């Protein structure tokens, strides 16, 4: 029996669809939605001197540290969390200022 005329035109799209389906399954497996733990934050040369719940408080503490001649930065690792970081040689003075700072 001879093949039905025109069926060979379907072979290309069927193969392409099969390849795309296999690729989609592989990508779904490779990038499955497992929650992965974030690596601990690398502070580099900096030392954390205060953790605050409000952005404004952290920025105000940073201004106080700046007035005292202490270089600092603020990191926001998550919602409602701000960390004030300084260089290690200034950490003791910065902690003393931070302890007297209203946490508000």
């Amino acid at each position: 029996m001879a093949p039905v005329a025109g069926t060979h035109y379907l072979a290309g799209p069927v193969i392409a669809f099969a390849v795309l389906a296999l690729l989609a399954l592989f990508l779904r497996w490779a990038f499955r939605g497992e929650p992965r733990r974030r690596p601990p934050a690398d502070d580099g040369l900096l030392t954390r001197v205060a953790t605050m719940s409000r952005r404004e408080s952290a920025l105000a503490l940073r201004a106080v540290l700046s007035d005292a001649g202490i270089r600092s930065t603020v990191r926001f690792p998550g919602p409602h969390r701000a960390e004030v970081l300084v260089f290690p040689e200034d950490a003791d003075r910065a902690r003393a200022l931070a302890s007297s700072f209203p946490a508000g």
Side-chain angles (χ1 to χ4, degrees):
M1 251 181 148
V4 177
T7 58
H8 65 283
Y9 291 111
L10 292 176
V14 168
I15 291 172
F17 181 75
V19 168
L20 287 175
L22 289 173
L23 183 60
L25 287 173
F26 171 75
L27 290 174
R28 185 172 176 169
W29 170 79
F31 297 105
R32 63 187 173 270
E34 282 184 10
R36 292 190 172 97
R37 292 188 178 267
R38 294 178 71 190
D42 180 20
D43 295 341
L45 298 175
L46 301 176
T47 301
R48 184 176 49 236
V49 293
T51 301
M52 305 187 137
S53 61
R54 294 182 54 220
R55 174 186 180 97
E56 295 80 16
S57 298
L59 294 175
L61 175 58
R62 184 170 185 233
V64 168
L65 294 175
S66 178
D67 289 345
I70 299 172
R71 294 177 296 165
S72 64
T73 189
V74 178
R75 174 175 59 195
F76 304 99
H80 307 292
R81 186 164 176 208
E83 297 175 346
V84 180
L85 305 151
V86 300
F87 285 99
E89 59 269 14
D90 296 326
D92 292 333
R93 285 185 341 149
R95 282 192 185 99
L97 286 170
S99 67
S100 66
F101 189 77

